[in-house]
């Protein structure tokens, strides 16, 4: 014959306690004895217990009393009941179903070895969500329910399950087993005391069952910090982690203990690093402090292990099978990284505490109606469709480039792009070395875009050509995806975002970037929509967005310094316009605009000393790649001139739609800002095209186009209104759509028809002949001559082709003048003295690619110190017959350079941390006394109807 004693422990839980008490008194299996314990509550919980159970059945204890200590005190005072006595433990925030006790006792009758039983726990607010169906623990002490976050209870886990542990919220335990095991460990006043008790019960040969027919709803008030914890001064997060480690290390055998210590030291350090990256220093401190609190008190751990010694080794095989599988650790790590990237911060464990109130409520069955296959979801996304369309257009337009690049050993190069050679390690070496041996040698610090390109090359498996090909040749689809994703918050109308992204990707600037080999502008084109999206958040005062904006602006500035000037002017206008209206705007703007200055400081100083370099971008600067004194029609139609640019009329549709946006009355502020950015970019483009013949106005015209696209796209939702209105408005809406899509369609058709392979090519041969490379000693160079328009250009290569960035290194002026004079004398055939000058600079070979000009051939053959090696239609090669001297590198102290590199690396890491997604650790302020999502436990309505009646169960 069963006898059941219910013990309800309350601590500042009045908001949940009334419903809990009503459910306890309405059990279909009446209770034999019921006792309430009030642990020093200050919210009237004691009065509620007295009202429900009577003053003789309520025990008042100090506020600092833990749950286990309260139960011990009740059972110490309460004599055993006749027959098989069961103790039913209940929290003040746990409401059992009216049939819960009956289901637990029925399950106990089915298994004589069952000593501890627990109900199925569901969430207090969203009562469809599962919280626990038994609990286990990982080998690192992480609590694991085995459930997915916010998993709905659809009967998928129903049945009686043999588990490692159940919660004390609704735990039913035989009193003789309680006495045998000495009950809950009072050294664990909160968290993991249930795991410790159940672990010891299983070690002693008893069974722990979870019964799904018994249901209880739990608010998890202490775990979710819905009330202040009085049993400990430590943070609940640290207390939970410490107790988890303590229970694990106190109960496992010695060999497993050693492995657990080593595993947890490594895992805790790793988690602390991830917490720091997620900007959760308090979580990182709690992680390390919890570990130190356990392993730093070996005597306390030894006493606990001694008390649990009996049966530990014999019961370990059965316990080990109940622990989380080893793969769960990898899953937990993946969840942490995913949460970090999503901005939610690292999570504690899979299925630990499900915050059911932090998501908008969904109707039953919605998730089934919206679920579709992965392939269907991917290919039904407008962004994916846009990317595929742009990729097909790009492959068709760049067919010649790609065939030359993939079908031979050729190099990608031409226009502003030097033939791409070397790998990521070569670029890193170029960036960090103090003296550059390339060409005539240089003490100049490598430009910062070399480090950016080296990082991209490292991502591309160390292949620089692959990184350049993806960024430059894939500029069009990358720009389209960037524009589509960045305008998600600006433009809610999806067709308008699709048109905006397609038009932006196929602007004349973009196609001109590919044909001209302008790697720097390609990167800016991809980043420009992201700048616009982050700028809206910077103006709203977001510091994290400001750090991210500053970091990406640093990348763009490293390739095209003019970007910083444009953004700084617009930022100054934003500070004047919004600084006095929105809090934190000036601070965010200072962060965003100050980050590039700090990270690029020495290089920017050199730029300021030579202001003309602000208009130039990375790469070669050839006047043939620009259109001198660009016409007004080209500028107004956003055409920057140069190779690869479509006719000026191709963008007429965009201009017409943007002008039409001015006629609409709504959102005039956004339209005015867009047109203002357009006029600003246009003015800068005019200045760039007039000041320097080698400067290309692509970046300012991209700014102008962005402003027009935002102005037009922001009003595009009106098209649906006009189409629904019918009549002339419907006709006008159709006309606007046709005109708008005429720009991307015309640009795509012209680009595919004309191709994108001039002057950029994918089949360039190695500039250093194979014979010269094989017969040159280390440090010896090959002089490459290129006659053009009656003049001879030259490049000095030392054993390999030039690396990207070496063209921006400045050799000593005196050495340059002397070498240039020698090259001019050599090309004119004026004497062997010039050959000796070249030999003293380490020149072993002289080569002329392509068909050699007869005059230049005669001049080289006339030099007695030069011996012709080969001459054909593909080029000529001459060898210096005399002694060649490789100039030794100058003895320089690179302490300043190395110091700056270390400082720059540290600053970059700091900015990355500050710009990375932070964690939203603060839970939503939910009132758990609010009505739940679905109807409460059975019997709740009857309890309300009989609110005035006082039920009594004799103790």
């Amino acid at each position: 014959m069963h006898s059941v004693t219910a013990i309800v422990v309350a601590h500042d839980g009045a908001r949940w306690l009334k419903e809990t008490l009503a459910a306890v008194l309405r059990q279909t299996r009446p209770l034999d004895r019921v006792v309430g314990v009030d642990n020093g509550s200050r919210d009237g919980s004691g009065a509620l217990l007295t009202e429900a159970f009577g003053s003789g059945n309520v025990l008042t204890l100090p506020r600092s009393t833990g749950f286990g200590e309260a139960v011990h005190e009740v059972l110490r005072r309460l004599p055993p009941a006749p027959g098989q006595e069961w103790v039913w433990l209940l929290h003040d925030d746990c409401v059992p179903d009216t049939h819960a006790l009956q289901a637990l006792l029925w399950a106990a009758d089915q298994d004589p070895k069952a000593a501890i039983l627990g109900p199925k726990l569901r969430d207090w607010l969203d009562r469809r969500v599962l919280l626990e169906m038994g609990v286990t623990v990982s080998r690192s002490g992480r609590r694991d329910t085995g459930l997915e976050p916010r998993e709905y209870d659809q009967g998928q886990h129903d049945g009686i399950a043999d588990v490692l542990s159940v919660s004390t919220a609704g735990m039913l335990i035989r009193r003789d087993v309680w006495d045998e095991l000495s009950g809950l460990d009072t050294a664990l006043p909160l968290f993991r005391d249930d795991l410790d008790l159940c672990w010891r019960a299983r070690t002693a040969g008893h069974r722990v069952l979870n019964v799904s027919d018994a249901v209880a709803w739990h608010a998890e008030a202490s775990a979710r910090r819905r009330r202040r914890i009085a049993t400990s001064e430590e943070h609940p997060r640290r207390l939970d982690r410490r107790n988890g480690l303590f229970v694990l290390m106190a109960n496992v055998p010695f060999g497993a203990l050693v492995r657990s210590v080593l595993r947890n030291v490594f895992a805790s350090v790793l988690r602390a690093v991830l917490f720091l990256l997620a900007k959760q220093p308090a979580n990182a401190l709690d992680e390390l402090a919890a570990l130190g609190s356990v392993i730093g008190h070996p005597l306390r751990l030894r006493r606990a292990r001694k008390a649990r010694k009996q049966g530990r080794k014999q019961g370990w095989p059965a316990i080990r099978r109940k622990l989380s599988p080893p793969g769960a650790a990898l899953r937990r790590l993946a969840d942490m990284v995913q949460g970090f990237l999503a901005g939610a911060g690292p999570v504690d464990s899979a299925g630990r505490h499900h915050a059911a109130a932090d998501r908008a409520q969904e109707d039953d069955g919605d998730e089934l109606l919206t679920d579709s296959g992965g392939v269907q979801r991917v290919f039904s996304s407008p962004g994916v469709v846009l990317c595929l369309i742009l990729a097909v257009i790009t492959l068709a337009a760049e067919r010649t480039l790609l065939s030359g690049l993939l079908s031979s050993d050729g190099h990608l190069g031409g226009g502003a792009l030097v033939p791409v050679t070397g790998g990521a390690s070569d670029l890193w070496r170029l960036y960090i070395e103090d003296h550059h041996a390339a060409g005539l040698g240089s003490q100049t610090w490598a430009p910062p875009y070399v480090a950016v390109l080296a990082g991209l090359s490292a991502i591309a498996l160390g292949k620089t050509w692959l990184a350049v090909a993806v960024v430059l040749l894939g500029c069009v689809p990358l720009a389209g995806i960037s524009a589509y994703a960045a305008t998600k918050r600006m433009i809610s109308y999806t067709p308008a975002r699709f048109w905006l992204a397609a038009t932006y990707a196929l602007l004349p600037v973009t196609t001109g970037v590919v044909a001209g080999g302008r790697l720097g502008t390609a990167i800016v084109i991809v980043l420009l929509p992201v700048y616009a999206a982050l700028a809206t958040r910077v103006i709203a005062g977001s510091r994290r967005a400001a750090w991210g904006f500053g970091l990406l602006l640093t990348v763009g500035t490293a390739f095209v310094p003019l970007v910083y000037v444009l953004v700084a002017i617009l930022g100054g206008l934003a500070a004047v316009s919004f600084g006095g209206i929105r809090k934190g705007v000036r601070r965010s703007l200072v962060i965003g605009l100050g980050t590039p200055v700090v990270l690029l400081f020495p290089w920017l100083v050199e730029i300021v000393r030579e202001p003309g370099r602000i208009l130039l971008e990375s790469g070669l600067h050839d006047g043939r790649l620009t259109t001198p004194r660009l016409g007004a029609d080209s500028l107004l139609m956003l055409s920057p001139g140069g190779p690869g640019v479509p006719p000026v009329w191709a963008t007429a549709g965009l201009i017409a739609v943007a002008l039409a946006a001015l006629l609409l009355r709504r959102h005039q502020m956004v339209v005015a800002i867009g047109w203002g950015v357009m006029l600003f970019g246009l003015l800068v483009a005019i200045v760039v095209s007039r000041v320097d013949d080698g400067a290309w106005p692509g970046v300012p015209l991209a700014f102008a186009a962005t402003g027009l696209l935002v102005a037009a796209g922001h009003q595009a939702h009106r098209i649906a209104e006009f189409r629904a209105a019918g009549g002339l408005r419907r006709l006008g809406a159709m006309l606007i759509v046709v005109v708008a899509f005429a720009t991307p369609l015309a640009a795509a058709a012209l680009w595919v028809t004309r191709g994108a392979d001039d002057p950029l090519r994918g089949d360039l041969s190695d500039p250093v002949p194979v014979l010269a490379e094989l017969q040159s000693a280390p440090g010896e160079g090959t002089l490459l001559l290129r006659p053009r328009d009656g003049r001879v250009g030259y490049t000095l290569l030392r054993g390999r082709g030039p690396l990207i960035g070496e063209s921006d290194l400045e050799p000593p002026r005196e050495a340059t003048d002397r070498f240039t004079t020698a090259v001019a004398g050599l090309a004119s055939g004026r004497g062997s003295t010039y050959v000796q000058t070249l030999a003293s600079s380490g020149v072993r070979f002289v080569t002329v690619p392509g068909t050699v000009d007869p005059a230049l051939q005669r001049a080289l053959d006339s030099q007695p110190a030069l011996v012709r090696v080969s001459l054909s239609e593909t080029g000529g090669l001459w060898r210096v017959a005399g002694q060649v001297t490789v100039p030794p590198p100058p003895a320089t102290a690179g302490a300043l350079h190395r110091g700056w590199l270390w400082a720059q690396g540290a600053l970059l890491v700091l900015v990355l941390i500050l710009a990375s997604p932070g964690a939203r650790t603060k839970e939503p302020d939910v009132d758990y006394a609010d009505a739940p999502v679905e109807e409460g436990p059975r019997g709740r309505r009857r309890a309300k109807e009989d609110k005035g009646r006082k039920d009594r169960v004799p103790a």
Side-chain angles (χ1 to χ4, degrees):
M1 184 66 181
H2 295 306
S3 174
V4 181
T5 299
I7 301 176
V8 181
V9 181
H11 174 74
D12 290 343
R15 69 172 95 174
W16 311 284
L17 185 58
K18 184 177 294 186
E19 189 172 349
T20 298
L21 297 177
V24 169
L25 296 175
R26 294 299 179 185
Q27 291 298 304
T28 55
R29 196 287 188 193
L31 295 166
D32 298 286
R33 297 188 295 186
V34 60
V35 179
V37 183
D38 177 29
N39 288 346
S41 299
R42 298 172 178 172
D43 62 347
S45 295
L48 292 176
L49 288 171
T50 302
E51 180 184 357
F53 298 157
S55 58
N57 298 325
V58 176
L59 180 64
T60 302
L61 297 176
R63 186 170 177 81
S64 59
T65 306
F67 182 87
E69 187 178 354
V71 177
H72 273 289
E73 184 64 24
V74 171
L75 295 181
R76 186 183 66 83
R77 301 188 183 192
L78 201 64
Q84 180 68 64
E85 184 180 5
W86 292 85
V87 179
W88 196 23
L89 306 181
L90 290 164
H91 297 184
D92 54 6
D93 60 346
C94 176
V95 177
D97 182 73
T98 54
H99 300 277
L101 180 59
Q102 182 178 351
L104 291 173
L105 291 174
W106 178 86
D109 290 335
Q110 309 307 307
D111 189 346
K113 296 187 68 175
I116 301 178
L117 302 95
K120 174 199 300 183
L121 292 181
R122 295 199 293 196
D123 188 73
W124 179 281
L125 278 182
D126 191 343
R127 302 205 168 182
R128 304 164 296 180
V129 174
L130 284 170
L131 290 184
E132 290 181 18
M133 290 285 291
V135 178
T136 185
V137 68
S138 70
R139 288 165 173 79
S140 58
R142 307 287 174 187
R143 188 172 184 270
D144 191 0
T145 64
L147 302 174
E148 296 296 328
R150 289 187 55 84
E151 182 176 345
Y152 281 179
D153 182 13
Q154 299 172 337
Q156 67 272 33
H157 301 292
D158 280 1
I160 300 177
D162 187 12
V163 296
L164 176 63
S165 170
V166 295
S167 172
T168 51
M171 174 188 289
L172 183 69
I173 181 172
R174 283 186 2 218
R175 181 160 183 175
D176 60 325
V177 174
W178 173 279
D179 296 335
E180 174 191 348
L181 301 174
S182 300
L184 294 169
D185 189 349
T186 56
L188 304 172
L190 191 66
F191 302 136
R192 308 304 182 94
D193 49 348
D194 47 9
L195 173 65
D196 178 68
L197 175 62
C198 293
W199 192 314
R200 289 185 281 123
R202 293 194 64 93
T203 301
H206 304 290
R207 299 190 68 186
V208 179
L209 303 179
N210 180 265
V211 183
S212 62
D213 287 342
V215 181
W217 291 267
H218 193 199
E220 295 183 319
S222 297
R224 295 182 181 179
R225 300 195 291 278
R226 295 304 171 195
R227 57 180 166 197
R228 187 176 298 277
I229 297 175
T231 58
S232 176
E233 296 295 331
E234 297 183 359
H235 192 279
R237 180 176 52 243
R238 181 184 303 184
L239 187 63
D240 177 77
R241 178 61 177 147
R242 187 197 71 184
N243 290 353
L245 289 171
F246 180 81
V247 170
L248 179 72
M249 295 182 183
N251 286 282
V252 297
F254 181 76
L257 171 65
V258 175
R259 292 191 295 271
S260 176
V261 171
L262 296 177
R263 181 187 299 113
N264 280 286
V265 168
F266 173 78
S268 293
V269 172
L270 178 60
R271 285 174 60 86
V273 171
L274 290 177
F275 280 131
L276 289 175
L277 291 177
K279 289 175 282 187
Q280 291 181 297
N283 288 16
L285 177 61
D286 289 339
E287 181 73 24
L288 297 177
L291 178 65
S293 177
V294 175
I295 64 178
H297 295 82
L299 295 181
R300 182 177 62 186
L301 184 61
R302 182 176 180 274
R303 288 193 298 269
R305 289 182 57 81
K306 184 177 180 180
R308 294 160 174 81
K309 181 179 180 180
Q310 184 175 0
R312 178 166 54 208
K313 185 174 296 185
Q314 293 77 11
W316 171 241
I319 295 289
R320 184 170 52 190
R321 289 193 294 270
K322 295 296 181 181
L323 299 180
S324 297
L330 297 177
R331 177 186 175 186
R332 187 174 296 112
L333 179 62
D335 288 341
M336 291 177 64
V337 175
Q338 179 183 2
F340 166 66
L341 294 177
V347 296
D348 283 339
S349 64
R352 182 182 172 208
H353 296 301
H354 306 295
D358 62 355
R359 181 186 290 188
Q361 303 298 338
E362 301 173 356
D363 294 331
D364 278 331
D366 285 352
E367 68 282 355
L368 300 178
L369 295 175
T370 59
D371 191 21
S372 58
V375 176
Q376 179 181 351
R377 288 197 301 270
V378 169
F379 287 98
S380 62
S381 169
V384 175
V385 174
L386 172 68
C387 182
L388 292 176
I389 293 175
L390 294 177
V392 170
I393 294 173
T394 300
L395 291 174
E398 298 174 353
R399 55 193 180 276
T400 306
L401 273 171
L402 295 174
S403 62
L405 183 63
L406 300 177
S407 63
S408 66
D409 295 331
H411 300 284
L412 182 64
L417 182 67
V418 299
V420 182
T421 60
S425 59
D426 299 309
L427 293 177
W428 283 121
R429 189 180 306 111
L430 173 65
Y431 186 67
I432 66 176
E433 62 187 2
D434 301 323
H435 173 75
H436 310 286
L440 296 174
S442 176
Q443 302 286 103
T444 307
W445 294 3
Y449 70 81
V450 173
V452 178
L453 188 57
L456 295 176
S457 302
I459 296 174
L461 305 178
K463 302 181 184 300
T464 303
W465 70 267
L466 181 59
V468 174
V470 169
V471 173
L472 182 59
L473 302 185
C475 174
V476 169
L478 289 177
I481 290 301
S482 174
Y484 184 83
T487 53
K488 182 177 181 179
R489 294 188 177 184
M490 301 181 196
I491 301 173
S492 58
Y493 190 45
T494 302
R497 290 174 57 206
F498 189 95
W499 166 81
L500 183 150
T503 305
Y504 178 80
L506 294 166
L507 285 171
V509 174
T510 312
T511 57
V513 160
V514 177
R518 300 182 181 276
L519 179 62
T521 306
I523 289 179
V524 172
I525 288 291
V526 175
L527 292 179
L528 192 54
V530 185
Y531 291 163
L534 289 176
T536 59
R537 298 175 59 191
V538 171
I539 293 176
S542 172
R543 279 185 291 178
R544 181 167 69 86
W547 287 111
F549 179 81
L551 182 62
L552 294 180
L553 182 59
T554 302
V555 174
T557 305
F559 284 92
V560 185
L562 183 60
V563 171
Y564 185 82
V565 177
L566 297 174
V567 173
I569 294 175
L570 294 176
L573 295 175
V576 173
S577 303
F578 301 101
I581 302 176
R582 298 179 180 176
K583 184 179 180 180
V585 172
R586 290 191 176 94
R587 178 187 56 195
S588 297
L589 287 172
V590 169
I591 292 173
L593 297 177
T595 301
V597 176
V598 174
L599 291 177
L600 306 176
F601 181 72
W603 180 72
L604 288 179
V605 171
E606 297 296 328
I607 294 291
V608 172
R609 291 177 179 174
E610 301 179 35
R613 294 173 58 185
I614 295 177
L615 305 180
L616 304 177
E617 59 181 296
S618 61
L620 303 176
H621 309 124
D622 191 344
R624 295 179 300 173
L625 300 176
T626 60
T627 302
R629 303 193 67 82
L630 200 60
D633 55 344
S634 298
L635 292 170
L636 290 174
M637 292 296 175
L638 307 176
S639 178
V645 174
V648 293
W649 51 264
T651 54
L654 169 60
I655 304 299
V657 173
L659 287 172
L662 291 172
L663 303 178
L664 301 177
R665 296 181 179 180
R666 299 182 189 174
H667 306 291
Q668 283 295 313
M669 178 62 70
V670 176
V671 176
I673 292 176
W675 271 96
V677 173
M678 185 272 180
L679 295 176
F680 169 69
L682 186 62
L683 291 175
V684 177
I686 294 174
V687 173
V688 171
S689 63
R690 295 296 189 272
V691 171
D692 192 332
D693 291 339
W696 194 60
V699 170
L701 287 180
F703 269 79
T706 302
L708 281 186
L709 286 168
V710 171
H714 205 272
Q715 298 281 42
H717 65 280
R718 303 290 303 279
I719 298 295
E721 300 177 9
F722 293 157
R723 186 176 57 185
L728 292 178
R729 291 192 175 188
R730 181 183 182 89
L731 183 62
M734 295 176 60
L735 179 61
I736 292 175
V737 171
V738 171
V739 172
F741 277 93
T743 292
L745 292 176
L750 290 168
W751 196 37
V752 171
T753 303
R754 295 183 173 190
D757 57 341
D758 186 25
L760 186 67
R761 295 174 55 189
D763 57 353
L764 294 179
S765 59
D766 197 324
V768 180
V770 177
L771 189 60
E773 186 176 354
L774 294 176
Q775 296 185 2
S776 296
E780 292 183 348
T782 300
L783 179 62
L784 181 67
L785 301 180
R786 288 193 177 90
R788 187 182 67 191
D789 300 332
R791 305 181 65 181
V792 178
Y794 72 90
T795 303
L796 179 57
L797 305 175
R798 297 195 181 273
R800 56 166 175 77
L803 297 175
I804 296 179
E806 287 184 343
S807 60
D808 289 328
L809 302 178
E810 296 183 4
R813 182 176 298 275
E814 181 181 353
T816 303
D817 295 340
R818 183 166 58 89
F819 196 84
T820 302
T821 302
V823 171
L826 176 67
S828 62
R830 290 200 298 262
S832 60
T833 308
Y834 300 112
V835 179
Q836 296 175 0
T837 303
L838 298 179
S840 65
S841 298
V843 176
R844 171 60 69 183
F845 288 92
V846 178
T847 182
V848 182
T851 303
V852 182
D853 182 80
L856 181 59
Q857 176 189 338
R858 289 192 299 269
L860 297 177
D861 287 338
S862 66
Q863 300 293 336
L866 288 181
V867 178
R868 186 201 296 176
V869 177
S870 64
L871 183 64
S872 64
E873 294 180 355
T874 59
L877 181 65
W878 287 261
R879 186 176 189 275
V880 177
Q883 183 179 0
V884 173
T885 304
V886 178
T892 58
L896 178 61
H897 185 211
R898 289 191 295 271
W900 165 247
L901 290 177
W902 281 106
Q904 188 181 47
L907 291 171
L908 179 61
V909 171
L910 177 62
V911 173
L912 282 171
I913 293 175
L914 294 173
S916 62
R920 297 184 292 270
T921 58
K922 182 179 179 180
E923 297 185 23
D925 189 12
V926 180
D927 185 2
Y928 274 75
D930 291 344
V933 172
E934 71 177 18
E935 187 177 347
R938 285 167 287 182
R940 181 182 180 189
R941 183 172 300 175
R942 288 176 53 197
K944 289 186 177 180
E945 292 174 355
D946 299 337
K947 182 177 180 180
R949 186 169 62 88
K950 296 184 179 180
D951 294 295
R952 292 287 183 270
V953 179

